Amino acid sequence: MRLLKLLIHRSKGTFALAVLVGLLSGASSSALIMLINRSLVHGTFRSSTTLAAFAGVLCVGMLLRICAQVLLNRLNFGALYELRMHLFRRVLASPLRQLEELGNHRVTAMLAEDIPAVTTSLMALPTLTINAAALLGCLVYLATLSRLIFVFLLGFIVVGLGVYQLPTRLGLGILQQARTRSDAFFKLFRAVLEGNKELKLHAQRRSVFLHRDVEATARDMQRLGAASANLFNFTASWGGFLFFTFIGLLLFVLTRFTDLDSATLTSCTLTVLFLQQPLDSMMSSVHFLSRGSVALEKLQRLEPQVWEFDLSSPQALPPPVQRFEHLELRGITHAYFRDQDERPFTLGPINLSLRPGELVFIIGGNGSGKTTLAKLLTGLYVPESGEILLDGQPVTDARREHYRQHFSTVFSDFFLFDNLLGLTSPEREPQVKAYLERLHLERKVQISGDGTLSTTALSQGQRKRLALLTAYLEDRPIYLFDEWAADQDPLFKDIFYQQLLPELRSRGKAVVVISHDNRYFHVADRILQLDSGRMMEDAPPTGPLLPGQRAAS
Ligand SMILES: Nc1ncnc2c1ncn2[C@@H]1O[C@H](COP(=O)(O)OP(=O)(O)OP(=O)(O)O)[C@@H](O)[C@H]1O
């Protein structure tokens, strides 16, 4: 509901106006039916006053309807814009761990499925108002024509709505199931794109993927989609059935027990017949509203446990960070919990200190916790226990955004943007060119004035060099490289360990390197070794290595 409130709050003026115009448009429809009835019953259809009144109400009604539609469109596209921006803000401001637990495929499904579903249902709200107003107007008019028929109809509507609850609830349950299958479908969709090479190269695996996994999910979606649509169609037909049942009862049963005159009967029947269109439309919107509520529920799963930073204005940025004196991790831990895991992986407690001008290697076997430690160190994960002290000050939630600005990183699963996103300026162009040359990329990539890279379609090693260029341009006091050299040729590996890293150190940067390259361990000042999430007790001393000394690995 918070999201719904937000959307209505953001465009409350338009929303209120759309509802008001909707109400007036609905009222004009009831006024029309009243005029038609009166002219038929009182025989005033030849009067020019009636004609003028009819034409007037018709034109006003049409104008109001057009206005309501224009407002609806504004509301709809405004809400779509708000929701899209909101989703991006949420993804940016949500803790990394929360996003990892949710999974990229679910976030993609939110963008592709939930946002359109919510906006469609929002659009149905004012349409509901127009129809509710027409319905209400007709009911009031009916009450003035015959109290008995009015009460009879009201009773009928109450019974109809009561019966109608059951299929609607069932439909909602099915919609929820269908939506869960969409998450699975988006996961498969990512797999078909990202695992395309593997699937092309192995017919049997491809066949199992397509005929077992994709087909089963797509069939489920087909079955559940059809079942929910059938249920909602049934509710709409149920409305139509009730409607004509009512007219039948009114004309052929109620008349046996009452002495209603035929003029009243005609007016009531006409009015009730007119009610069918708004009722039908209201019934149909229930499907959209239900889909919208399921989508809202899904979107709320992305409600950040904490908003990590203020994204409300481009000005709300932390100041650039130039230097630090001392960084200390004191007994920090992190555990990954998964339902099927009896023993979750736990990292820590880790103690570590870092000063400017230090080159520290983190080593250890696969799955020993190196990347997890890197995420904790850079402030991407919040430690579950222990604390991080920067220049003696604990890194609290309020200071974490500022803390993160100390790091330039290239993680092993880095993402390469096709634009440097504000890292260049005309004054920095010579520096960018020099870095491109240093990284042996000057013939491969050009960078335009606005920071757009001419290409990112490069080899993995070259893409990593571009990521390194970004890190250089960020020029933060602490650098972290997660297996950066793993994709480099021997020549560039050598340049990285023997030249680039020592250069960064000599510029006073603290450099943390996750590495499996034991040939180069000697360049480190300190080596920290992890084993199953624990810092090894027999790890080398935390001071700089003596010349020629090598860490145990
Ligand atoms: N996103 C995640 N969700 C749940 N568990 C995870 C996640 N990432 C890592 N793990 C668990 O944490 C352990 C440590 O993973 P981590 O990526 O930190 O290891 P690593 O030392 O960097 O390994 P490698 O050398 O293979 O890159 C793994 O064994 C894995 O079980």
Side-chain angles (χ1 to χ4, degrees):
M1 282 325 262
R2 271 177 66 181
L3 187 62
L4 198 62
K5 273 191 204 145
L6 178 106
L7 287 174
I8 294 174
H9 179 74
R10 286 273 164 106
S11 48
K12 56 179 180 281
T14 317
F15 196 82
L17 202 62
V19 170
L20 182 72
V21 176
L23 281 171
L24 291 173
S25 157
S28 68
S29 301
S30 347
L32 266 187
I33 190 70
M34 230 160 72
L35 266 171
I36 294 168
N37 263 340
R38 283 217 175 142
S39 63
L40 283 175
V41 172
H42 302 296
T44 55
F45 33 82
R46 285 193 193 87
S47 133
S48 12
T49 326
T50 312
L51 177 65
F54 183 82
V57 176
L58 189 66
C59 290
V60 170
M62 192 185 75
L63 275 177
L64 285 168
R65 197 161 268 269
I66 292 172
C67 282
Q69 285 307 329
V70 169
L71 288 168
L72 279 181
N73 288 340
R74 205 169 134 181
L75 200 68
N76 185 28
F77 288 101
L80 200 59
Y81 164 83
E82 281 298 337
L83 278 168
R84 283 176 178 151
M85 288 304 293
H86 196 66
L87 186 69
F88 271 81
R89 283 196 206 104
R90 277 179 180 203
V91 171
L92 282 172
S94 295
L96 179 66
R97 202 58 210 115
Q98 192 185 340
L99 291 176
E100 284 177 351
E101 276 167 10
L102 197 61
N104 287 353
H105 60 286
R106 291 202 182 89
V107 181
T108 316
M110 285 176 189
L111 190 65
E113 283 221 12
D114 297 326
I115 289 184
V118 171
T119 44
T120 313
S121 74
L122 274 182
M123 203 169 92
L125 279 181
T127 317
L128 256 183
T129 320
I130 298 177
N131 289 317
L135 186 76
L136 210 71
C138 287
L139 282 176
V140 171
Y141 177 54
L142 208 66
T144 63
L145 288 175
S146 158
R147 289 260 163 82
L148 177 73
I149 295 179
F150 169 72
V151 172
F152 185 45
L153 179 63
L154 220 55
F156 218 77
I157 289 177
V158 170
V159 173
L161 283 179
V163 176
Y164 171 82
Q165 286 295 314
L166 183 68
T168 310
R169 283 209 181 146
L170 270 175
L172 197 65
I174 295 176
L175 272 180
Q176 277 160 343
Q177 282 181 50
R179 181 59 192 77
T180 310
R181 299 310 287 150
S182 310
D183 280 342
F185 192 74
F186 274 94
K187 195 172 183 180
L188 290 165
F189 194 67
R190 274 178 67 94
V192 78
L193 290 177
E194 288 169 24
N196 200 278
K197 293 190 289 302
E198 288 77 0
L199 295 174
K200 275 193 174 29
L201 285 169
H202 202 291
Q204 201 179 339
R205 288 181 76 194
R206 183 175 63 229
S207 171
V208 172
F209 174 79
L210 186 67
H211 299 297
R212 188 190 66 187
D213 298 354
V214 178
E215 218 169 272
T217 310
R219 281 237 177 277
D220 276 357
M221 288 171 79
Q222 178 194 22
R223 182 177 52 80
L224 293 166
S228 75
N230 283 344
L231 271 170
F232 285 107
N233 287 344
F234 167 76
T235 52
S237 313
W238 169 244
F241 170 78
L242 278 185
F243 199 79
F244 283 102
T245 309
F246 175 79
I247 293 179
L249 286 174
L250 172 69
L251 287 181
F252 310 119
V253 181
L254 198 66
T255 41
R256 291 179 191 210
F257 306 102
T258 53
D259 51 357
L260 284 165
D261 60 285
S262 61
T264 310
L265 261 180
T266 311
S267 293
C268 288
T269 312
L270 258 180
T271 311
V272 174
L273 273 176
F274 175 79
L275 278 178
Q276 188 179 13
Q277 187 272 330
L279 261 176
D280 255 7
S281 169
M282 284 170 81
M283 295 283 195
S284 312
S285 15
V286 173
H287 191 184
F288 297 119
L289 289 174
S290 306
R291 280 194 61 204
S293 80
V294 172
L296 259 185
E297 237 172 71
K298 282 279 174 191
L299 285 175
Q300 264 144 17
R301 282 196 63 191
L302 196 60
E303 200 63 54
Q305 288 141 13
V306 231
W307 280 88
E308 292 201 313
F309 21 75
D310 180 12
L311 288 164
S312 52
S313 82
Q315 284 78 37
L317 293 176
V321 171
Q322 305 296 345
R323 50 181 291 107
F324 78 106
E325 295 298 330
H326 185 218
L327 168 62
E328 190 181 356
L329 310 190
R330 266 195 208 155
I332 59 162
T333 63
H334 176 82
Y336 292 107
F337 288 98
R338 279 180 298 203
D339 296 342
Q340 67 272 31
D341 278 3
E342 281 179 11
R343 290 179 54 209
F345 175 86
T346 305
L347 177 83
I350 302 282
N351 296 308
L352 165 67
S353 76
L354 197 62
R355 288 191 182 273
E358 275 192 304
L359 177 52
V360 178
F361 275 29
I362 300 176
I363 64 167
N366 292 132
S368 56
K370 301 180 297 297
T371 302
T372 309
L373 174 57
K375 287 177 180 166
L376 282 162
L377 175 70
T378 50
L380 288 172
Y381 283 179
V382 180
E384 279 156 18
S385 59
E387 61 178 351
I388 301 181
L389 297 157
L390 181 71
D391 295 334
Q393 297 277 326
V395 177
T396 54
D397 283 346
R399 299 189 68 228
R400 189 159 292 108
E401 161 78 333
H402 169 255
Y403 172 76
R404 286 180 185 156
Q405 310 310 306
H406 289 73
F407 295 88
S408 284
T409 64
V410 184
F411 278 94
S412 50
D413 59 349
F414 71 101
F415 182 81
L416 191 61
F417 289 90
D418 58 8
N419 188 291
L420 292 175
L421 302 174
L423 286 176
T424 50
S425 59
E427 305 83 66
R428 292 191 87 181
E429 263 176 38
Q431 195 187 14
V432 174
K433 274 201 183 121
Y435 280 139
L436 279 175
E437 277 168 28
R438 191 79 213 276
L439 297 168
H440 301 188
L441 288 172
E442 74 280 12
R443 293 194 194 170
K444 280 280 165 192
V445 185
Q446 278 80 50
I447 299 176
S448 67
D450 69 347
T452 305
L453 307 179
S454 56
T455 180
T456 54
L458 298 163
S459 76
Q460 183 64 356
Q462 290 167 332
R463 285 164 52 78
K464 274 207 168 163
R465 289 188 212 171
L466 267 183
L468 181 60
L469 170 94
T470 316
Y472 274 144
L473 292 174
E474 285 179 356
D475 196 25
R476 300 276 178 76
I478 310 174
Y479 279 75
L480 182 136
F481 302 112
D482 187 352
E483 298 183 36
W484 186 87
D487 308 285
Q488 300 303 318
D489 57 42
L491 177 70
F492 212 84
K493 216 178 248 230
D494 214 59
I495 294 178
F496 176 69
Y497 285 109
Q498 309 271 26
Q499 296 178 25
L500 302 184
L501 293 182
E503 267 171 31
L504 284 172
R505 172 176 51 191
S506 62
R507 282 170 51 202
K509 307 289 181 189
V511 189
V512 179
V513 181
I514 295 176
S515 173
H516 292 293
D517 289 323
N518 54 2
R519 276 186 58 217
Y520 295 100
F521 284 177
H522 63 279
V523 301
D525 296 327
R526 270 188 294 150
I527 295 179
L528 308 171
Q529 185 169 2
L530 284 174
D531 184 20
S532 307
R534 308 233 153 228
M535 197 82 93
M536 291 285 279
E537 294 204 351
D538 60 348
T542 51
L545 294 182
L546 298 172
Q549 182 183 355
R550 285 199 177 201
S553 56

